[in-house]
Amino acid sequence: MGGDDLDPADVYARLCDQQPVNEVAAVDQERVVRALADALPGWVWDRHILQPPEAEPDTAPAFDANIGTQMVEFIGYGFENEHANAIIDAMHSLGYRLFDPQTGERFA
């Protein structure tokens, strides 16, 4: 949260390079894990891979989930829109906003 007046692509690049952004709040990792567990019943989280209930281990659909100090990032593989929307809803419940680096768009 925070950094609303900053260029989202620049913020994303800086956070990916492990550069702190003063205007962006720290991520409460425990709160994120709790929100995902509450919002995604039946999903499996093995190390950093998050999968919906119908997925077989080591196959798609899957999300590589990285909870950093100032950013939570999900990289999806073979997923349906409903899977992505479930994750987006869980993060939105925490006040986190979505930035899609492929389109350069930030969503409220």
Side-chain angles (χ1 to χ4, degrees):
M1 293 185 284
D4 293 341
D5 297 331
L6 302 177
D7 177 83
D10 179 60
V11 170
Y12 178 72
R14 289 170 57 191
L15 293 175
C16 285
D17 286 339
Q18 305 298 316
Q19 297 175 19
V21 178
N22 292 334
E23 297 86 354
V24 175
V27 169
D28 182 337
Q29 294 181 1
E30 290 179 22
R31 189 169 172 234
V32 170
V33 169
R34 203 169 35 252
L36 290 170
D38 291 346
L40 305 173
W43 285 51
V44 176
W45 196 335
D46 185 17
R47 292 180 294 274
H48 58 93
I49 300 298
L50 182 62
Q51 291 186 286
E54 70 273 12
E56 296 293 326
D58 300 322
T59 65
F63 292 87
D64 188 350
N66 178 29
I67 304 173
T69 57
Q70 288 187 293
M71 175 174 70
V72 180
E73 182 177 40
F74 297 92
I75 300 172
Y77 305 95
F79 63 91
E80 300 291 330
N81 286 342
E82 67 190 59
H83 301 128
N85 288 338
I87 291 172
I88 291 167
D89 289 346
M91 294 295 90
H92 189 70
S93 75
L94 297 173
Y96 294 176
R97 293 171 301 272
L98 170 69
F99 173 69
D100 185 343
Q102 294 177 354
T103 65
E105 189 170 356
R106 182 176 185 182
F107 303 90

